Every structure is written in C-alpha cells, then in structure tokens.
Amino acid sequence: MCGIVGFAGKRPAAPFLLDGLSKLEYRGYDSAGIAVFCDKIRTVKSQGRLADLRAKVDTVSHLDGTLGIGHTRWATHGAPNDINSHPHTSMSGRVSIVHNGIIENYIPLKQELEAAGVVFRSETDTEVVAQLFDYYYEGDMIDTLIRVIGRIRGSYALGILCSDHPDQLVAVRKDSPLIIGLGEGENYIASDIPAVLEHTRDYYLLEDNEIAILKADSVELLDLNKNPVHHDVYTVTYDISAAEKGGYEYFMMKEIMEQPRAMRTCIGSRLTENGEVKLDKIRLTEEQIRNIGRIHIVACGSAWHAGIVAKYVIEEMTRIPVEVDLASEFRYRRPILSRNDLCITISQSGETADTLAALREARANDVHVLSIVNAVGSSIARESDDVLYTMAGPEIAVATTKGYSTQLAVIYLIALKFAAIRKTLKPARIQELTQALINLPDQIEALTKMDQRLREMATENADKNDVFIIGRGIDYGASMESSLKLKEISYVHSEAYAAGELKHGTISLIEDGSLVIAVATQDALYEKLVSNVKEIKARGAHVIAIVKEGCTDVEEVADEVIYIPSTDDLYTSSLTVIPMQLFAYYVAIARGCDVDKPRNLAKSVTVE
Ligand code: G6P
C-alpha cells in the first residue's frame, strides 16, 4: 500500500526513483509521481501505471537533479488522479512531500491553514503535511519537522524535500514502514527492501518518530529531541534474484513454485537430528507453555485463514482452546484477556496496521505475543515478545502463496512443540506427525507438477461467475483461503461454505452449471461430504472434488477429481491449497487479469 522511494546522491535521481518504484509496484497503487530538486523542485505525476509516469518524465527536460523522492499511491483520500497523487508541494513550491499512511486530523489542520490563507490543491490528507511544513518553516528542516509531528495524528512514513536545502532529504516514520538504504556516495529511503536491492544490501530500520537526514555521503539519525540515535546496520541475506521473476510470467507463479523449497527451509531448520522441534530462541518458557489457558490468534486476510486452520490443528494436538479473530475486530471489541493467555499474530508483511494494533492491545494487557512473520525486522516482528520467521523469502505478488504455506508450517511446528511439552500426544503420535511434516515439501512439489491439468480445468471453467467451495472441519478453513485466491486475482465471485451449512440457505443459489469445488480430505467427514456433493449434483452443479489419494469412489458423484497425496488429516490444508492456487491463477490468466497486481488491492495494508 503506497510505496515511497527517495534518493540523495551524485548522479541523476530520476532513474533510481522510477526503477525503485517499479520494485514497489506489488504493494498496489493507482497513480505515481516523482519530485527532483533541479534549479527548483520539479514534480511529475500521473494517474495509472508507472509506464504512464515514465512517458511523462520522458517529455520533461532538465530533470537531472541528484536529490529526489517518488511515490506510488493507493488512493485513500480523494480519487486516483494526477492532482491527488504524490509528491505534494506546498503553496510556495518550497516543500515537497511523499507520504504513506493516514493523517487522521487533517480536516481541522486544513481548516486552520485555510483560515491563514493557505490554498489547497488536492483532496488528500498528505497535502496538509506539505502546507503545514512550509507554514512552520523558518530555515531549519528538523525543527520544522518536529513541530509538524507535534501537530499531526495518525500513521506516516514521510520523505521531505525543501528547496532551501538542495543536498538533503529528510524522512520520518510512525506506524508505517520505512527503511534507509546505505549506498556508496548515495543513500536512499524506501518502503521496502526490493526498491534498493540493486544498489545496496545494507540498511537501517527507523523506529517510530525517528528522523533520518540523508545526504550523498552521510546518514544522520535523530530522535524528536534532536539527540543522535544509533542503529545497527541490517544486511539483506537473500539473493537479489529472489526479488525478481526468474523467467516466470508472473511473480505469483514463481512463488507458487517456490513453495516446496520455502517449506523445506522453514521446517528443516527447526527439527533436530532426532526429529524434535526447536522453536528458535523464543522467550516463552516451557513453564509458560504448560500454563497457557487460551490462545488468541489474530490476523487479516490469508493470514487469518491460516489462523482458522491453526485453531483445528492446535486444539486437536494440544487441547488448548483457541480463538481466532480478525485483527480489525479484535482491536475494538475489548477482548477478554488473561495473563496466562498467549496471543499469536500472523502476518506475511509484518506491517499490517490492524494486526500491529491488535498486538499492542494484547501486550498492553500483559499477554505474551508470539508472532509468525515473513518480513524480517518488520514492525510486528520487532514489537512482539517472540517471533518465528516463516523464511519464505520476499513475496511480491499481492496474493500470498508461499507466505500462507509457510505460516501453516510454523503453526504445525508450534502445535507439535506445545503438544510435546504439555504431553497431550503420545511420543509415537508426535513422531508420526513429525514424519508427515517432513514429507510435506515433496508432496507439495508433486502437486505443483499438476500445473497443466489445472490450467485446462481453469480454462474450461473461466466463464463461471459464481463458485462455491465447500468443506468440513479443516477443509472448511482451507476452502476460505482457496475462495479468497479466486476473488483476489480473477475477480470471480466465490464463497467458502461449511458443507453442513449449505442447506441452511446457500443451496438455493445452486443451479444448472454452478461450479462447486468440494474439499473432502478428512477421513471422519468424508462420507458426509460425499452426501453433500450428491445433493449439489442433484441441483445441476458442476462439481470438482479434492480428495486424498485412494478415495476413488468420489468419481461416481463428482464431475472431476483432484487427488492430493496422502498425509495426516491435520496437514491436508497445506496440500489442498496448491491446486487451488494454480486454479485461481489460471482462471485469472484466462480472464485477462493482472495476476500480480489485482485491482484495488494492496500487498501490505498499512492503514486501518
Ligand atoms: C492484504 C493482502 C492479503 C494479506 C493481508 C494480510 O489484504 O492483499 O493477501 O493476506 O493483507 O497481510 P499480512 O502481510 O498481514 O499477512
């Protein structure tokens, strides 16, 4: 959601800004712009894709300054048009700002400035910051910024240029991600690492309300009292190719295909030679684990779907009651929390605003927070008591695939560890489950090879406007994620339904030609699901069944059958989701959708 880049160096800034923005496209955007200090601050902005911005930039001469900022905007306040896109310039033209986040009190501030004669051009909350900055400015950018921060409320990552200071770029953040890239004779700001990866692997992570002053040869970090701040330099460990498409048409397909490897890394590094789970260096003690009264899982989107599956798995293995909440609900519903509870937050990006707020709510109630995160050093990772990284590598496509799969893997590991400590499973059963876990990456790999078959199936069904995905128990949880994949990238209306609930209303929507995908991988529930399929078939639906190897009798009732390799019933979600990811991908391709950048969606939702 919104991407920020900034450059202070000795060569023209514009090429860096445009390339950097292209690496942040995955975050979701509907307009883009750059501002470069030349003889004055020159701004080029465009609605639409980066290609439109590049075309405009090409028509501007003398955009060769060496200091600049850039932005991809995901519209919140005001339509996605040229005027509302960033950078925003103050009335005098002296100050230019890019912003990610939301300024919650922008209306009273705007009224105040208008009363003082300031004329606004856009409908955005961001322009208020640019105008306020200019209004307070008396020659020192840092003093001004500190005053501005004292007035604005909400979340922000800001990159600021002032034409009186043609050699420095100033940045600050609060509840919105921003990194400071450290180059040779040049330095950068960016919302995320891929934007700078071609130029440096070294970066600082800013904490809330820390200010960075970037010049070509220096980076200075200050707190709000202007005291110097020291941070360790982080170094990106993954290869640059991990953030590139590597020959695939879309990142999403690359990431689907990376799942076996990601799962091997995630699981393999957490099993000892004797097959025991070791959960990194978490602070949560065995004593605390034995005493957990209740687990609250909090997340958004696909991570929440991983949480739904987690409820079944953790309750079954550890007998600890688990509640699963959408972070946006949890944070406002005054959840009942006790000291012996454990809160698990799940987030690929580690920056989702609602999940971060939920985490803070839990910690404020003295509840230990263990987070499952992919992005190393992200806000959620840093603010949690413990973090278990999913180690999936950078995920660029908006629709998560390897992020979700590795979240499930970490959940299985947690459940196994807790079960061992709490002795809720016999050692032989733990061994059996551990072996099944070790087998998962190969089984996922086998499923990714069904690529062509899924392509045909998807192409044949790409004209469907409504798809129902049904399952019971864990299969219901997996159905939710499968349904979201279809909605997100192919814009096909789809609903996940608990199969037993279908006849309490939704079955009235099933008619000749409706597509129903029935997930039936749970031994104890299999026959019940087959009966549900019969009911649906009787109403004319076309049925694709997803079942475990050997369940061939389903061929008598379903039109098509996808077999997944045999695994423990607790782990089947990790397998059923693979063909569904491929199915959604190919339906999206057949419908001509932009798979990696679905309309209206953002990869990292950093506002409420
Ligand atoms: C956005 C993305 C989803 C993702 C959700 C949670 O809505 O489009 O794919 O599941 O955020 O993101 P997180 O980074 O917290 O896992």
Side-chain angles (χ1 to χ4, degrees):
M1 183 169 272
C2 296
I4 287 180
V5 289
F7 180 90
K10 295 169 185 164
R11 61 188 171 107
F16 168 87
L17 298 174
L18 291 168
D19 284 353
L21 289 179
S22 73
K23 302 283 176 0
L24 298 179
E25 277 193 288
Y26 73 90
R27 298 172 70 83
Y29 73 104
D30 31 43
S31 61
I34 60 171
V36 177
F37 181 81
C38 306
D39 46 332
K40 57 177 186 170
I41 296 172
R42 292 179 183 270
T43 306
V44 188
K45 314 202 270 191
S46 178
Q47 181 182 350
R49 290 290 165 198
L50 273 180
D52 302 309
L53 177 66
R54 278 182 194 273
K56 266 194 175 177
V57 167
D58 286 345
T59 64
V60 179
S61 50
H62 305 305
L63 201 68
D64 48 7
T66 60
L67 185 81
I69 48 179
H71 190 265
T72 42
R73 172 174 187 252
W74 189 85
T76 55
H77 294 61
N81 57 31
D82 287 7
I83 294 175
N84 288 333
S85 52
H86 301 212
H88 286 285
T89 311
S90 61
M91 197 170 67
S92 72
R94 182 164 55 181
V95 176
S96 178
I97 281 184
V98 286
H99 167 220
N100 180 8
I102 288 181
I103 306 300
E104 286 166 359
N105 59 336
Y106 83 104
I107 293 176
L109 289 174
K110 189 170 180 174
Q111 286 164 347
E112 186 182 319
L113 288 164
E114 280 176 333
V118 175
V119 179
F120 281 78
R121 270 169 295 220
S122 76
E123 301 157 79
T124 65
D125 52 333
T126 303
E127 191 186 346
V128 167
V129 185
Q131 303 286 16
L132 190 65
F133 195 99
D134 199 336
Y135 186 70
Y136 283 157
Y137 179 75
E138 288 175 342
D140 186 306
M141 283 182 79
I142 306 308
D143 289 341
T144 312
L145 181 56
I146 291 169
R147 238 180 127 186
V148 169
I149 290 171
R151 295 295 317 275
I152 57 178
R153 246 193 359 256
S155 59
Y156 43 84
L158 295 166
I160 310 166
L161 300 184
C162 173
S163 56
D164 286 356
H165 302 271
D167 64 337
Q168 80 176 22
L169 159 62
V170 172
V172 67
R173 64 151 254 170
K174 181 179 161 277
D175 296 339
S176 205
L178 196 70
I179 61 142
I180 312 293
L182 307 169
E184 303 242 328
E186 53 190 46
N187 294 298
Y188 328 94
I189 60 167
S191 302
D192 200 0
I193 293 160
V196 300
L197 205 48
E198 232 173 82
H199 309 277
T200 185
R201 291 173 162 273
D202 296 337
Y203 63 98
Y204 288 134
L205 285 166
L206 278 191
E207 298 288 347
D208 277 358
N209 283 328
E210 285 177 356
I211 296 170
I213 307 161
L214 291 87
K215 297 187 177 173
D217 290 311
S218 66
V219 171
E220 209 183 330
L221 306 180
L222 301 175
D223 65 18
L224 288 186
N225 296 315
K226 299 218 282 187
N227 296 317
V229 173
H230 176 77
H231 278 308
D232 290 340
V233 176
Y234 277 79
T235 301
V236 179
T237 47
Y238 56 79
D239 196 75
I240 188 163
S241 63
E244 314 227 307
K245 271 191 224 160
Y248 287 98
E249 193 182 354
Y250 286 102
F251 276 110
M252 183 173 173
M253 183 51 94
K254 174 178 175 254
E255 288 160 5
I256 289 175
M257 294 301 170
E258 280 174 350
Q259 290 178 104
R261 201 186 64 206
M263 292 288 281
R264 276 181 203 116
T265 312
C266 178
I267 297 165
S269 61
R270 288 170 174 131
L271 290 178
T272 65
E273 277 174 15
N274 319 328
E276 269 172 40
V277 175
K278 55 172 178 10
L279 288 184
D280 309 6
K281 287 198 186 86
I282 59 169
R283 283 178 241 181
L284 195 68
T285 62
E286 294 204 359
E287 169 84 14
Q288 277 175 297
I289 293 171
R290 270 190 289 274
N291 289 329
I292 293 172
R294 184 172 297 272
I295 293 177
H296 304 265
I297 298 182
V298 190
C300 302
S302 295
W304 178 67
H305 293 154
I308 307 243
V309 172
K311 176 180 167 71
Y312 290 99
V313 175
I314 296 175
E315 286 190 342
E316 178 65 31
M317 286 200 209
T318 71
R319 307 313 293 158
I320 304 171
V322 179
E323 281 180 23
V324 191
D325 268 273
L326 289 163
S328 52
E329 294 294 318
F330 180 87
R331 63 184 292 192
Y332 294 118
R333 79 166 168 83
R334 293 217 301 138
I336 300 166
L337 301 166
S338 351
R339 286 214 173 157
N340 282 352
D341 291 356
L342 173 70
C343 175
I344 300 181
T345 73
I346 311 176
S347 174
Q348 187 286 128
S349 65
E351 299 293 349
T352 302
D354 283 320
T355 312
L356 186 59
L359 173 163
R360 289 176 180 164
E361 172 74 21
R363 292 203 71 202
N365 282 278
D366 291 328
V367 172
H368 191 99
V369 176
L370 166 68
S371 290
I372 302 173
V373 174
N374 192 35
V376 176
S378 54
S379 303
I380 292 175
R382 284 184 289 154
E383 291 197 27
S384 302
D385 295 293
D386 284 313
V387 54
L388 291 171
Y389 285 112
T390 50
M391 303 181 195
E395 192 178 62
I396 309 289
V398 165
T400 180
T401 51
K402 61 177 182 173
Y404 171 82
S405 286
T406 48
Q407 285 163 357
L408 288 185
V410 175
I411 285 156
Y412 303 153
L413 288 160
I414 292 174
L416 276 170
K417 183 76 185 175
F418 285 14
I421 292 171
R422 293 170 68 106
K423 298 194 172 30
T424 43
L425 293 178
K426 297 211 166 81
R429 175 73 177 131
I430 290 188
Q431 234 175 16
E432 187 180 80
L433 281 161
T434 308
Q435 190 52 52
L437 184 60
I438 293 168
N439 295 344
L440 272 182
D442 287 349
Q443 295 177 321
I444 290 175
E445 188 156 5
L447 285 165
T448 58
K449 298 203 168 114
M450 288 178 58
D451 185 28
Q452 275 320 308
R453 176 149 180 246
L454 266 309
R455 176 177 213 141
E456 283 157 27
M457 220 180 243
T459 314
E460 278 160 25
N461 287 291
D463 59 342
K464 297 282 190 297
N465 290 322
D466 299 288
V467 179
F468 298 90
I469 307 182
I470 61 168
R472 286 170 181 258
I474 277 189
D475 288 338
Y476 173 42
S479 300
M480 287 185 184
E481 174 57 10
S482 302
S483 169
L484 183 64
K485 285 282 104 34
L486 257 182
K487 279 184 271 220
E488 278 180 312
I489 60 168
S490 66
Y491 317 143
V492 172
H493 165 244
S494 155
E495 280 187 48
Y497 240 80
E501 186 64 15
L502 204 64
K503 41 173 128 28
H504 299 289
T506 309
I507 202 162
S508 64
L509 296 171
I510 308 277
E511 53 186 16
D512 247 358
S514 300
L515 177 60
V516 178
I517 299 174
V519 188
T521 69
Q522 303 296 296
D523 289 345
L525 302 168
Y526 176 74
E527 284 174 0
K528 294 191 190 310
L529 210 95
V530 169
S531 306
N532 294 139
V533 169
K534 283 186 184 149
E535 292 157 9
I536 294 159
K537 272 304 299 171
R539 278 142 188 103
H542 181 80
V543 177
I544 300 175
I546 303 183
V547 296
K548 280 202 285 204
E549 255 165 20
C551 296
T552 47
D553 51 339
V554 78
E555 286 180 23
E556 284 170 30
V557 284
D559 298 284
E560 296 172 85
V561 182
I562 296 170
Y563 291 102
I564 60 159
S566 182
T567 184
D568 197 280
D569 278 11
L570 290 173
Y571 297 155
T572 55
S573 307
S574 292
L575 300 182
T576 50
V577 77
I578 307 295
M580 285 310 299
Q581 292 168 348
L582 289 165
F583 183 80
Y585 177 90
Y586 283 120
V587 170
I589 295 281
R591 292 168 73 105
C593 303
D594 185 347
V595 177
D596 283 344
K597 299 186 281 286
R599 69 183 180 209
N600 306 339
L601 293 183
K603 176 80 181 157
S604 174
V605 179
T606 49
V607 295
E608 279 192 50

